[in-house]
Amino acid sequence: MTHPAFLDQLPKFAFFTGKGGVGKTSAACATALTLADRGETVLLVSTDPASNIGQVFGQPIGSRITPLNTTPGVDALEIDPETAAATYRESIISPVRGLLPEREIQTMTEQLSGSCTTEIASFNEFADLIADPDRTSGYDHVLFDTAPTGHTIRLLELPGDWSQFIDEGKGDTSCLGPMAGLESRRIVYRATVNALSDPTRTVLVLVARAQHSAIHEAERTCRELTALGMGNQHLLINALMPDLDDDPLAAAIRDQEHRELATLPSRLAHLPRTTTTLHARNVVGVDQLREFFATTPTHPVHSADPTHEPPRDYPPLTDLVDQLAAQTHGLFMTLGKGGVGKTTVATAIAVALAERGREVLLTTTDPAGNLTETLNGTVANLTIAKIDPDQALREYQDEVLATKGTRLDATGRAQLMEDLQSPCTQEVAVFRKFSEAIREAHDRIVVIDTAPSGHTLLLLDATGSYHREMLRQMGDNLVATPLTRLQDPNYTKMIIVTLPETTPILEAEQLQRDLQRASITPWAWIVNRSVAAAHPASEFLHTVADGEIPQIKHVQHLTERMAVVPLLPTPPIGQDSLHSLSQSAPLARSASAR
């Protein structure tokens, strides 16, 4: 078994971080096995909400340190972020339950239900493993599947009394609410942050695929953590397409991956790097893990399961477009985690509707110029509007600082400014811009490629923003606000975009539950970049397709409507390519054969 360069002189702590679905868990598990085979002892810890360490090693793990039966020398622990967040949320709310009105309790609960609370609660759980040497004294190495973001670490370094900041009503936006219960653990956090920034104790492994969105995320993480003094980083490019002479689709994808690696951002290009090859089957079990870092892994022969649904039966995107085209106006939103292709899918839907004669406005957080290049020309009936999320955030930050910020001292302004840099705050800021597009859906079709989560919508409602204020002003009169428009299935159709892989689908399930809390039921799901729907030629990719089929079946149980978009040999650029994306599987098959 070969091993990556980052294992040479590996420090005590190693964090594997990256977008969902890039292979963080597989990389962490394979590293643990490699170290154990060298005779070292390892504690493998997951803070990933979609953790499947137990599945990889074939035994249940859970929230207690558990020895792995198949891998002597490795113990594992799965910290469930949702459970940690619920426990943390209750620790803050329970002291005031019964003392405050139920409306205030609901507001507090929603403020403590976002991604920032989950991140902080997870950090709260594993900080003790880092800060208390006695907890990990029996291990040579502690490996973490997922790492804290730069935003979370900056929050933990903020000065001042967070609890007082909240009590005085100065930080009621998104993140400082979750900070209210952490004051007593400041010493633990300081020790943890010190360990993270010590290159002799910690290495950060940035896991990515050779795809633009995943590399962009790795570059952003690299930049953020380097600015915080965490410069001991290693880049792991996972799952490169192997050389398959019998498959034009594989050859085209491999060429595209090589172009991505040849043009890496300079910040990443200067990092030490490890690459791994795509495995035909899910990396499950010790034998598969031992091949994870191999430069030429064994490629199993395709063995079709007769119980699997034939790929040709999967509904194409054009079926959904035909249903959407029955409307002359309305709001269609694509949602999903970064990297699943929701912007491309939204653009393909907008192009297809425009080709059917509908008047369409496409609103996106991507700069309009880039979309124009993607379309490679104008499309009749299609208008593109620009929403710059950074500009929207700056405008919102300036507005809050000019109101709440005027009453704060320097420390308070620093705390408020950190809160205003959170992902939740940016969602709020962008949603304010989206509200203008929502109104335009009265007169034409509006396609939006990003939507706020259910938490953000409820947070806007619970904190007395636009929705509640409008209801207060109008009294008992019926009023349509952005939230009520999004809740109306006749006006708005939300479409979740995911990939045919375990982690992105689990994340999409959480997004659906999140929206349902806001009384929004997604209209359809789209499974994007499916090898099974592309009808590959090689035995290797047939085996990859077999692994997708159970995931696609799982999606079918989660939604009344679904479409499967095939993996294309090249990124869809230009109207013709975007047009083919929304067509049926036979067209995708001809595209992959070119």
Side-chain angles (χ1 to χ4, degrees):
M1 178 178 180
T2 58
H3 69 269
F6 67 81
L7 290 186
D8 296 332
Q9 299 180 331
L10 186 72
K12 175 86 171 187
F13 303 110
F15 287 84
F16 294 80
T17 184
K19 296 175 74 68
V22 295
K24 296 186 299 292
T25 298
S26 297
C29 291
T31 301
L33 178 61
T34 305
L35 293 170
D37 286 346
R38 297 196 322 200
E40 300 183 70
T41 56
V42 180
L43 175 60
L44 178 60
V45 182
S46 175
T47 59
D48 192 330
S51 175
N52 60 344
I53 289 179
Q55 179 185 3
V56 171
F57 286 102
Q59 72 177 84
I61 296 173
S63 58
R64 294 186 177 182
I65 294 177
T66 304
L68 296 181
N69 300 328
T70 58
T71 314
V74 179
D75 294 346
L77 169 66
E78 291 179 325
I79 298 173
D80 180 5
E82 294 303 320
T83 300
T87 301
Y88 177 66
R89 186 162 51 243
E90 182 61 20
S91 71
I92 296 177
I93 294 175
S94 59
V96 297
R97 187 174 280 114
L99 301 176
L100 296 177
E102 183 59 28
R103 175 73 184 186
E104 295 301 320
I105 296 296
Q106 292 175 358
T107 297
M108 289 180 64
T109 300
E110 190 53 47
Q111 286 178 322
L112 293 165
S113 295
S115 58
C116 296
T117 298
T118 302
E119 271 198 22
I120 292 168
S122 297
F123 193 98
N124 197 32
E125 290 288 315
F126 72 66
D128 288 333
L129 293 173
I130 300 174
D132 184 357
D134 293 337
R135 294 283 302 275
T136 58
S137 60
Y139 301 101
D140 296 313
H141 303 284
V142 182
L143 311 182
F144 291 93
D145 175 16
T146 68
T149 66
H151 171 68
T152 298
I153 294 170
R154 289 197 308 271
L155 279 171
L156 296 172
E157 289 188 310
L158 282 176
D161 186 337
W162 294 310
S163 298
Q164 182 182 7
F165 191 80
I166 298 299
D167 291 341
E168 293 177 357
K170 299 173 181 175
D172 57 355
T173 44
S174 59
C175 286
L176 292 174
M179 301 305 297
L182 301 183
E183 184 68 27
S184 62
R185 294 178 56 82
R186 189 182 290 276
I187 295 175
V188 173
Y189 295 141
R190 170 50 54 194
T192 303
V193 172
N194 286 342
L196 291 172
S197 57
D198 183 350
T200 66
R201 300 171 65 189
T202 300
V203 63
L204 297 158
V205 182
L206 309 177
V207 186
R209 303 286 290 268
Q211 299 164 355
H212 182 75
S213 61
I215 288 173
H216 175 75
E217 174 71 11
E219 195 275 337
R220 184 193 63 80
T221 302
C222 173
R223 182 177 65 253
E224 276 196 357
L225 296 180
T226 299
L228 293 168
M230 301 174 197
N232 188 15
Q233 302 174 14
H234 188 100
L235 179 63
L236 172 59
I237 301 293
N238 187 34
L240 290 173
M241 182 67 69
D243 292 332
L244 301 173
D245 295 334
D246 58 344
D247 199 312
L249 174 63
I253 293 172
R254 186 178 64 250
D255 291 344
Q256 180 64 30
E257 290 177 339
H258 288 174
R259 285 191 291 271
E260 289 288 348
L261 294 182
T263 57
L264 279 177
S266 59
R267 196 181 297 271
L268 295 182
H270 289 90
L271 291 178
R273 187 192 317 172
T274 296
T275 60
T276 67
T277 303
L278 175 68
H279 290 253
R281 293 196 176 121
N282 290 333
V283 182
V284 175
V286 170
D287 291 340
Q288 289 267 30
L289 287 172
R290 283 204 168 93
E291 287 207 348
F292 183 80
F293 292 118
T295 54
T296 55
T298 302
H299 300 323
V301 176
H302 165 65
S303 177
D305 183 344
T307 65
H308 284 166
E309 179 182 345
R312 70 177 66 90
D313 291 339
Y314 294 151
L317 181 57
T318 188
D319 287 359
L320 296 184
V321 171
D322 288 343
Q323 296 178 59
L324 296 174
Q327 298 184 210
T328 57
H329 66 277
L331 180 67
F332 308 147
M333 283 182 163
T334 55
L335 305 86
K337 291 287 187 177
V340 298
K342 60 181 180 294
T343 300
T344 299
V345 169
T347 307
I349 290 174
V351 168
L353 291 171
E355 290 175 341
R356 285 163 170 79
R358 296 289 177 261
E359 188 70 24
V360 181
L361 169 67
L362 173 61
T363 304
T364 176
T365 55
D366 279 349
N370 290 345
L371 267 180
T372 302
E373 293 174 9
T374 300
L375 289 172
N376 196 25
T378 59
V379 177
N381 304 317
L382 177 61
T383 303
I384 297 174
K386 175 182 178 180
I387 292 180
D388 185 337
D390 293 331
Q391 180 180 344
L393 178 60
R394 285 193 299 270
E395 291 176 1
Y396 183 67
Q397 289 171 337
D398 291 344
E399 180 181 325
V400 174
L401 289 172
T403 53
K404 285 183 178 292
T406 58
R407 305 193 303 268
L408 304 178
D409 57 18
T411 298
R413 286 180 66 87
Q415 291 171 322
L416 181 59
M417 193 60 206
E418 180 59 41
D419 183 46
L420 291 171
Q421 292 174 355
S422 77
C424 298
T425 301
Q426 187 168 66
E427 269 198 302
V428 171
V430 172
F431 179 75
R432 284 153 48 103
K433 295 293 185 182
F434 280 160
S435 297
E436 301 171 6
I438 292 173
R439 289 192 294 271
E440 291 203 36
H442 284 287
D443 305 316
R444 55 177 165 173
I445 289 175
V446 176
V447 180
I448 300 180
D449 85 324
T450 303
S453 70
H455 164 69
T456 300
L457 296 173
L458 288 172
L459 184 61
L460 284 163
D461 186 26
T463 55
S465 57
Y466 188 75
H467 179 73
R468 196 175 72 181
E469 179 63 19
M470 286 296 294
L471 292 179
R472 185 188 67 78
Q473 293 179 11
M474 299 298 294
D476 294 331
N477 295 329
L478 181 64
V479 59
T481 68
L483 181 56
T484 57
R485 287 299 191 192
L486 296 180
Q487 292 169 333
D488 181 358
N490 295 317
Y491 191 89
T492 300
K493 290 179 171 56
M494 292 201 175
I495 302 168
I496 290 180
V497 183
T498 188
L499 301 177
E501 301 170 12
T502 302
T503 299
I505 289 174
L506 287 173
E507 291 175 339
E509 281 188 78
Q510 179 57 49
L511 175 58
Q512 178 160 279
R513 290 192 294 269
D514 197 22
L515 289 168
Q516 287 170 341
R517 284 174 36 239
S519 300
I520 296 172
T521 299
W523 180 72
W525 281 49
I526 294 175
V527 180
N528 193 28
R529 297 205 293 262
S530 168
V531 174
H535 302 283
S538 71
E539 293 297 311
F540 175 83
L541 287 185
H542 272 299
T543 306
V544 174
D546 281 348
E548 292 182 354
I549 292 173
Q551 305 300 329
I552 296 174
K553 281 188 173 183
H554 181 59
V555 171
Q556 288 176 313
H557 292 297
L558 297 172
T559 180
E560 295 181 359
R561 298 177 189 84
M562 182 189 75
V564 181
V565 175
L567 176 67
L568 297 180
T570 58
I573 297 176
Q575 184 176 354
D576 290 343
S577 183
L578 289 166
H579 176 87
S580 69
L581 196 69
S582 65
Q583 299 307 302
S584 60
L587 286 180
R589 180 164 57 248
S590 65
S592 67
R594 285 197 293 269

